[in-house]
Amino acid sequence: MLVERKPVLTLTTSSGGVNFFLGNNPEANGYNAWPSFIRYSPEAMHDDFKNEAQNRLGRQITDSQASAYWFGESVRWMVENPKSALRLIKNKSVYFWNAVEPPDNFMMDTVKKFTRIFRIPLISWGMLAPFAVFGIGLALKQKRGLLIVLYTAAYFFVNVLFYILSRYRFPASLGVIILSAFCLVWVYDSFREGKYRKVAAACVIISGLFMFVHRKVVQGEIEWSKHYSVGVIYMNTGYTDKAIEEYKKSILHNPQFAPSRINLGNLYLKKMEYGLAAEQFAAAAEYDKDNRPEILRILGEIHFYHLEDFQKSVEMLNDSIKLGHSASYNSLADIYQAAGKFGNALEIYEKLYDAKKNDPDFLYKKGLSYYYNKQLDKAAKMFREVLALDPEHSDAKNAIGYI
């Protein structure tokens, strides 16, 4: 259960502790890896962190208190597990310089086919990083280079303190570019001055650094995730059929990945292929326990409105209600009403009245239920309540005129 969010003056956002925990916990891998109790959804992440903190503490807390709790959990884990914490810091230090760009959602290789900018032969982080590492020692010998080293070091330590992400690392690019210039200028000047042994030694060191930076330490995007990511891009840009093919491939590699099934089900709904949509939502309900109540509600509506299976629809909605999903009550009442089961519909509408008495559309449906149950006075009263909330509600106006 979440406490109501109220405006609170703070110096920073209330997500610092959460982000610190993401990079420092028993399940952390140095990148943007989510703990097992978090749903695969950026929108739900902070609510899940807050809910988990409240469950562990046994009381309600604010967003800032949740952030403080997770920061404390990270520190506790690091103190109790110093070897694991140091190993994680070491790994993050290596990942910072690695050529691969660790993403929030989409690996760089996945999106290359969708943007023209990748056709331009831009200089990458992986090309500059070896020269920059070599250039650190050169920059430290000059007063003007110290500031650049400190600037780059600041972003290095922030990334290592939290976790490595391409957009977190991006501001360090300025320092990496300048440090690379220190290296390249020194090599050029040394060569021009005839210091060939020094240049040769530098080339050997830089070659070693190049292998270090390009060493495969960042796992590439796994197949089911890659196809899911491409499917999302196709879906958001209107290429429905291509998106469907990508989601199918994702499911082939990982049948239990519910987001691919949910998105595929929604696309089948869009194409009015309702049987296929129901199949995907039914499978998603099996694998996604957190969202199962809402998936069952959607299934209930599909079975009634599109597959004309009243009994299956009621069964799905009642299963959703048993799992505590209040929205399914309203869906069940609507289906009872549409099926001509006016007494059943009215019974549910009356139970929902206190929670939805400020919703004109709900009140209108309840008014219709009274009308179909031949309680005309109550129907008229309900339509007047609708008009008190929405004077331009044309259906309510017509209904009162008809009564």
Side-chain angles (χ1 to χ4, degrees):
M1 182 171 62
L2 297 178
V3 297
E4 181 182 358
R5 285 185 170 88
K6 296 181 180 179
V8 178
L9 180 63
T10 58
L11 294 177
T12 64
T13 65
S14 59
S15 60
V18 167
N19 279 314
F20 189 75
F21 183 84
L22 282 173
N24 302 279
N25 70 79
E27 299 178 79
N29 62 7
Y31 313 122
N32 186 23
W34 293 359
S36 54
F37 58 83
I38 300 299
R39 286 172 287 174
Y40 192 82
S41 167
E43 295 82 7
M45 181 181 73
H46 288 286
D47 283 344
D48 287 350
F49 265 112
K50 188 173 182 180
N51 281 333
E52 182 68 16
Q54 289 178 154
N55 290 337
R56 295 185 185 186
L57 293 171
R59 58 184 173 86
Q60 294 182 344
I61 58 176
T62 65
D63 291 344
S64 295
Q65 289 170 332
S67 178
Y69 172 81
W70 290 113
F71 179 79
E73 286 295 284
S74 291
V75 172
R76 182 181 63 79
W77 174 77
M78 295 171 80
V79 170
E80 293 177 358
N81 302 274
K83 289 184 179 179
S84 296
L86 288 172
R87 188 182 307 113
L88 188 58
I89 290 171
K90 181 202 74 174
N91 289 341
K92 287 188 283 188
S93 300
V94 173
Y95 300 159
F96 178 85
W97 295 105
N98 193 261
V100 175
E101 299 280 355
D104 280 277
N105 299 304
F106 303 125
M107 293 292 289
M108 203 71 77
D109 289 341
T110 299
V111 299
K112 279 184 177 180
K113 67 174 75 172
F114 298 102
T115 175
R116 294 179 180 177
I117 197 168
F118 282 109
R119 298 175 189 174
I120 304 172
L122 300 172
I123 297 175
S124 67
W125 174 279
M127 289 298 295
L128 290 177
F131 298 106
V133 174
F134 188 91
I136 291 172
L138 299 171
L140 286 173
K141 295 178 181 179
Q142 305 179 35
K143 290 183 179 179
R144 61 179 181 173
L146 179 60
L147 184 61
I148 300 302
V149 173
L150 291 175
Y151 171 86
T152 309
Y155 281 101
F156 169 80
F157 285 116
V158 167
N159 275 263
V160 170
L161 189 62
F162 288 83
Y163 51 90
I164 309 302
L165 201 62
S166 58
R167 65 184 174 91
Y168 291 172
R169 189 176 70 174
F170 176 73
S173 299
L174 176 61
V176 167
I177 292 170
I178 297 174
L179 289 172
S180 299
F182 271 96
C183 173
L184 293 171
V185 169
W186 178 87
V187 169
Y188 174 77
D189 288 343
S190 297
F191 185 83
R192 191 178 60 176
E193 293 169 7
K195 300 176 181 178
Y196 302 124
R197 288 186 178 180
K198 282 189 175 182
V199 172
C203 288
V204 171
I205 294 171
I206 293 169
S207 297
L209 290 171
F210 191 89
M211 288 188 286
F212 166 76
V213 165
H214 287 267
R215 189 162 58 108
K216 189 173 182 179
V217 294
V218 180
Q219 182 183 10
E221 198 165 20
I222 51 182
E223 286 300 308
W224 62 263
S225 177
K226 180 176 72 175
H227 289 298
Y228 171 76
S229 299
V230 175
V232 169
I233 295 172
Y234 277 136
M235 185 172 68
N236 290 340
T237 50
Y239 294 96
T240 300
D241 291 335
K242 289 184 178 181
I244 286 174
E245 289 307 310
E246 292 298 328
Y247 288 134
K248 284 181 178 179
K249 291 175 183 177
S250 174
I251 292 167
L252 185 64
H253 287 285
N254 185 359
Q256 297 185 12
F257 186 59
S260 284
R261 292 190 177 274
I262 291 170
N263 286 358
L264 182 56
N266 282 320
L267 290 175
Y268 280 139
L269 283 179
K270 183 179 178 181
K271 290 173 68 69
M272 295 186 288
E273 297 180 19
Y274 302 115
L276 294 175
E279 287 178 12
Q280 294 305 322
F281 282 116
E286 290 298 315
Y287 300 126
D288 189 347
K289 302 303 181 184
D290 291 322
N291 293 309
R292 189 164 190 260
E294 173 60 13
I295 297 171
L296 289 174
R297 186 193 69 79
I298 295 170
L299 270 171
E301 295 191 351
I302 291 173
H303 278 287
F304 179 77
Y305 293 111
H306 302 300
L307 300 179
E308 300 181 356
D309 189 340
F310 172 75
Q311 292 300 329
K312 189 70 171 178
S313 173
V314 172
E315 177 187 329
M316 293 287 181
L317 290 169
N318 278 323
D319 285 346
S320 177
I321 290 168
K322 288 176 184 177
L323 294 171
H325 197 48
S326 58
S328 292
Y329 277 109
N330 193 67
S331 295
L332 182 59
D334 292 346
I335 284 171
Y336 274 138
Q337 186 127 298
K341 308 284 186 180
F342 304 122
N344 299 89
L346 181 57
E347 183 180 348
I348 298 175
Y349 284 139
E350 287 182 332
K351 289 179 180 178
L352 296 174
Y353 176 75
D354 287 340
K356 300 180 76 68
K357 60 186 177 183
N358 293 318
D359 181 347
D361 293 328
F362 169 80
L363 297 178
Y364 174 72
K365 288 186 290 187
K366 187 182 179 189
L368 285 179
S369 192
Y370 278 130
Y371 175 79
Y372 292 134
N373 281 283
K374 303 187 185 307
Q375 300 181 37
L376 301 185
D377 290 341
K378 289 184 177 180
K381 178 177 179 294
M382 198 57 51
F383 293 138
R384 285 193 290 271
E385 287 188 30
V386 173
L387 293 173
L389 292 170
D390 182 5
E392 301 303 318
H393 199 291
S394 58
D395 291 334
K397 286 181 180 179
N398 293 335
I400 283 185
Y402 187 78
I403 291 174

